[in-house]
Amino acid sequence: MNFILRKVVLCLTSTTLLASFYATAAQAPKHEYKPDGYSIVTIETPEDERFHVTGLDSDSNGVIWVATRFGDVWYYKNEQWFKFAQGLHEPTGLLVDSDGSLLVSQKPELTRISDSNNDGVADVYEIVVDDWSFNDNYHEFHFGPVKDKQGNLYGTLNLSHNNPDAFTMGAMGSPGGFRGFAYQVNKEGEFVPYAWGLRSPAGLGTSPDGEVFYTDNQGDWVPTSKMHLLKKDKFYGHPVSLVDVEGYTRESIKQMSLKQLEEMSETPVVWIPHVEVANSPGNPEWDTTEGKFGPFSGQIFIGDQTQSNIFRVMLEEVNGQYQGAVINFMNKFQSGNVRTEFDVNGQLWIGQTARGWGSQGDKPFGLQKVVWDGSTPFELYDIKLTKTGFRISFTDSLSAESVSKENLRAQSWHYHYSSNYGSPKMDLETLPISNVTLLKDGKTLDVVLPLVPGKIIQIDFAGLRDKSGRATSVDKVYYTLNQLLAEAQ
Amino acid sequence: MNRFAFVSTVFFLVFTSNTSANDLDEVLRTKSNDPKVTAQGQKLFEQICASCHAKDLSGATGFNLKDGEWVHGRDPSQILKNVKAGFLSAGMPGFEGVFNELELESIVAYVLSKREGWEELTYKLYQLNSADDKNVTADKLIKSGELSKGLADFSIPEVQHYFIEFEGDFYAPRDLDTQIWLQWGFPHELTVFVNDEQVEKGGSAWFPTWRLERGKQHLKVTYRSGTTKLNQRNLILIGTNLDLTVKLFPLSTKAKGIVEEKKYELKANAEILIQRKRILDLPPSTVSVGYPAKLNYGFNTKTCSVVGVWQGDMLNIGPNIAGRGEDPSLPLGEWLFHSPEQLKHNIEDNQCRYKGYKLEDGNPVFSYQFGQRQYTLTVKARSSSSLDFVYQVQGQEVLKLDLPQVSKVRWEHNDKALDPQNLKGSLLKPTESGRVVLTATLKQS
């Protein structure tokens, strides 16, 4: 979700830097991209309702549950809408719990909502936790919850903006009270400040293995949007939330060097290139449909509020740490995509809002879904690091004639961590591709190129074709090369 | 009738008619400055007109009556005529015969007293030679005119480098200090003059403000395009209160939609409404509840206290759900009290632990604890002027409450009025079932 402040709220001192940044800024793909076999279906939302879908989940019966920014909870069953709960404070997350009750993250509180008399309408609104400070600042969003395998819940707490009482070192601030934190609610129901240094952490997701990941939006101290594995007691880069960590004061935080802060910071599993892929990503959603949604099973699908698109994340473990790549999947959605959810039928539902932060899609709000008709697309399927480059596989057989060094291009860069609002691509350079080999399966390439850790490697493959002459709808992939394979170091 | 006689007669009729209209205009304008007349007008307006034109005159099914746009004529005599005759085809009845002349005039006087924005607004556009050109001279004037809607239109210029000025009589609220706010204002060269004196720019770089005087004044706003980007020149000028929490009225065309978007009224007409929103004058984490009896209260989940009660309709949540939702919702009625005055437990060194609410016939029953002691609170509207605060305590614990010290409310327990001079630490004995009923009744003014 684009709960970030964009170019209009720039600190004055960085105007010059930003001017040069925008002069060289990358562009989002202008064409419509969409794998063959996939289409967007628009769901009619209730008439006269401001239906900004910012909480989205589905249950085992395929019923879709949504929380709206207006403050209501609805469910969609047999193509009909039913209002379940109302009067909440700008909820931005919803989880259907195993007992059928709902967990909704409204700004001041994580709330469990249930229907005790089974009349189809909620009548019990119980607090789960509210142990953070909420100061009525518009940017103090509360995202989540998600649940790990042990049954612990997790949520994230956005920093504030333009709050005169807040401690700031850039655009966003915290007056204290766990703003910029991820929290856990353990099985005993206790609130645990879990990790800190978050900025606008608009999306949380649990992997099939039960690990929790979150996305954060580009801005001050976040050079481009990113996705992290959430780990206990770790720092994720935005310094102001350190005010709530023992041993720090506002003064001592300001004295810290950039190097100190950077070394303390967790490394994202992927960097998400600004504008080209996303400005304001939502929740990571794993494709657990076992093929019902097509060939991308096990991969992660994330919506972007500004770009009105969906992109994929492909992770692998390198030396015991996650890293991987991002690639655009589909664009031209009607509004800002903030929530993604696979239902039991293998459909990808997309919750949307564009209020306050504009989106490429011109509708103010809505709900759409992506469906697959069973036909085989021709797209990049996966990318894995090798000792000498990357092994890149496709969803359909490649035309051997199109496989050549000349039909591939690569470049690399890194980002500059600072209080500035985003970072340009630093040390951007073209990488020479020394060899490309098509493997026996006909779908996979081994690409040899120089590897330098700490870089984002972009590979362009617009020249590749499948056997029937199709080009891919998306022709760039971005790999976050945190580490090389151990044997290659 | 010969031609001369006909012309003379027409001239006479028009002249006398104009004269009497002008006189009446003056009479009504004078009355609009008389608090006694406007108070009477307000009472009638709220009884009769507010249902269509909104209590704050901002319009609903009927037109906005405080902005600069008068569809059926702006002169006070014309407004009076329209109130008398109505527009039946548009659903507005005539009120001649319903009220006497003085009452009708008081309504018009009240409407005039609430006027906000420009009147007889004009503009002048000068073409400049370059982004650096600051020399605004008469020979560079390329366009001028009147803006009948009373809003500065910054989209008029179709040249790259320019200076534009907007000028006219201006009405700011008489009972509130206000200012002009330029949204995203940092790069813009905007200058404001009130009664020909330049107003010092206040606020911050991105949120600049200029103070207005109360009531009628002459307002001039000038803008030089300079080096600002072409797509950022359609400026958003909004009249606000001094802490910027309430966006009151638009001054520019682009601001109009933004201000209008900040109106979304929730009224408890048929059923009890519950809303968690940011609300002006109430602390964060407050759940507000509105009753069809037109009484409302706010329960704070951090302190487990009642932090406000107001009479009238519930909330305009528009400011909190428009745009980024920066602004607080506005109670639509009149406060009986609000935070820091509150109805709260008098318990030392004990943090409240809020547990949630359950709906009983749509009415929330709030549950909470202080230490190990459990409480519930539910509120019942007895009438449009009386609320019962019903506490359930454990056992026979005497409830110790601090009550708000407000002159408008009489507090009763067990049909006995509580001493208005000694409301802090009131001891309220429960019934055998552990129930304590505290009644707040609005005193008749």
Side-chain angles (χ1 to χ4, degrees), chain A residues 5 87 109 123 130 355-356, chain B residues 276 302 321 323-324 357 359:
Chain A
L5 293 155
E109 181 183 298
D123 53 14
D130 72 342
R355 170 156 74 72
Chain B
R276 290 188 86 150
K302 291 285 188 183
I321 63 164
R324 297 181 180 185
Y357 63 86
L359 299 179

Side-chain angles (χ1 to χ4, degrees), chain B residues 157 276 278 344 354:
Chain B
R276 290 188 86 150
R278 181 185 177 193
K344 63 176 184 182
Y354 169 68

Side-chain angles (χ1 to χ4, degrees), chain A residues 5 8-10 12 50 70 87-89 106 108-109 123 125-127 130 132 134 136 138 355-357, chain B residues 184 205-207 264 274-278 284-285 302 317 321 323-326 354-359:
Chain A
L5 293 155
V8 282
V9 195
L10 307 168
L12 308 185
R50 298 187 183 201
F70 186 82
L88 304 171
H89 197 149
Q106 41 178 339
E109 181 183 298
D123 53 14
Y125 296 69
E126 295 167 288
I127 187 169
D130 72 342
W132 55 88
F134 172 60
D136 268 346
Y138 74 98
R355 170 156 74 72
W357 290 269
Chain B
W184 307 124
W206 283 99
F207 299 86
Y264 191 101
I274 302 161
Q275 279 293 314
R276 290 188 86 150
K277 293 283 178 284
R278 181 185 177 193
S285 302
K302 291 285 188 183
I317 62 168
I321 63 164
R324 297 181 180 185
E326 301 98 319
Y354 169 68
K355 293 164 73 179
Y357 63 86
K358 182 169 184 180
L359 299 179

Side-chain angles (χ1 to χ4, degrees), chain B residues 50-54 58-64 263 265:
Chain B
S51 57
C52 293
H53 295 282
S58 63
T61 51
F63 287 118
N64 182 325
K263 184 171 175 179
E265 294 184 344

Side-chain angles (χ1 to χ4, degrees), chain A residues 386-405:
Chain A
T386 64
K387 291 176 187 173
T388 56
F390 294 99
R391 178 163 289 183
I392 304 173
S393 55
F394 289 81
T395 55
D396 207 356
S397 297
L398 290 154
S399 150
E401 292 76 49
S402 72
V403 177
S404 68
K405 283 193 291 184

Side-chain angles (χ1 to χ4, degrees), chain A residues 158-433:
Chain A
N158 209 111
L159 293 174
S160 62
H161 175 256
N162 203 28
N163 175 356
D165 300 326
F167 168 54
T168 63
M169 289 174 65
M172 308 292 282
S174 171
F178 306 121
R179 306 291 347 160
F181 271 64
Y183 69 83
Q184 182 195 59
V185 183
N186 64 23
K187 282 176 287 178
E188 289 70 46
E190 295 161 335
F191 174 87
V192 180
Y194 194 76
W196 45 91
L198 290 67
R199 182 182 176 276
S200 279
L204 279 149
T206 311
S207 75
D209 294 332
E211 291 175 305
V212 176
F213 291 78
Y214 84 94
T215 60
D216 212 334
N217 288 191
Q218 184 251 27
D220 57 330
W221 302 98
V222 182
T224 195
S225 298
K226 57 184 184 169
M227 187 168 95
H228 281 280
L229 173 64
L230 189 65
K231 293 187 271 190
K232 193 168 191 302
D233 297 332
K234 297 294 184 187
F235 171 68
Y236 285 86
H238 200 297
V240 300
S241 57
L242 289 168
V243 290
D244 286 308
V245 179
E246 199 177 341
Y248 293 93
T249 63
R250 290 186 179 197
E251 291 67 34
S252 72
I253 298 164
K254 283 196 168 170
Q255 297 303 317
M256 294 177 76
S257 69
L258 206 60
K259 189 162 177 281
Q260 271 178 301
L261 289 165
E262 190 163 25
E263 284 174 359
M264 280 166 55
S265 300
E266 286 296 300
T267 305
V269 296
V270 287
W271 292 106
I272 305 164
H274 194 60
V275 178
E276 289 167 80
V277 178
N279 297 43
S280 37
N283 65 296
E285 173 73 358
W286 275 256
D287 178 354
T288 54
T289 65
E290 296 176 339
K292 286 182 190 164
F293 190 66
F296 305 107
S297 202
Q299 297 186 4
I300 302 161
F301 288 77
I302 304 178
D304 187 67
Q305 196 270 333
T306 308
Q307 297 299 334
S308 299
N309 66 345
I310 300 288
F311 60 94
R312 288 187 283 139
V313 179
M314 297 151 284
L315 293 183
E316 61 176 326
E317 274 190 85
V318 173
N319 311 328
Q321 305 289 319
Y322 288 113
Q323 64 184 40
V326 300
I327 185 168
N328 282 318
F329 178 67
M330 283 175 81
N331 66 349
K332 305 288 180 190
F333 287 83
Q334 64 178 358
S335 184
N337 295 345
V338 291
R339 292 289 169 257
T340 44
E341 163 69 10
F342 280 107
D343 71 4
V344 289
N345 300 311
Q347 307 177 103
L348 180 61
W349 294 77
I350 317 289
Q352 300 165 324
T353 179
R355 170 156 74 72
W357 290 269
S359 64
Q360 287 291 318
D362 60 2
K363 296 280 192 299
F365 54 75
L367 181 67
Q368 293 186 303
K369 63 180 179 182
V370 180
V371 296
W372 179 54
D373 67 7
S375 51
T376 304
F378 177 54
E379 300 294 342
L380 184 144
Y381 168 61
D382 201 2
I383 176 168
K384 295 269 190 277
L385 183 66
T386 64
K387 291 176 187 173
T388 56
F390 294 99
R391 178 163 289 183
I392 304 173
S393 55
F394 289 81
T395 55
D396 207 356
S397 297
L398 290 154
S399 150
E401 292 76 49
S402 72
V403 177
S404 68
K405 283 193 291 184
E406 291 68 34
N407 272 345
L408 295 172
R409 285 186 175 76
Q411 52 187 313
S412 73
W413 67 87
H414 61 266
Y415 293 106
H416 177 59
Y417 168 73
S418 78
S419 64
N420 287 335
Y421 207 92
S423 162
K425 292 176 179 176
M426 309 296 287
D427 301 323
L428 179 65
E429 59 177 329
T430 301
L431 299 180
I433 293 173

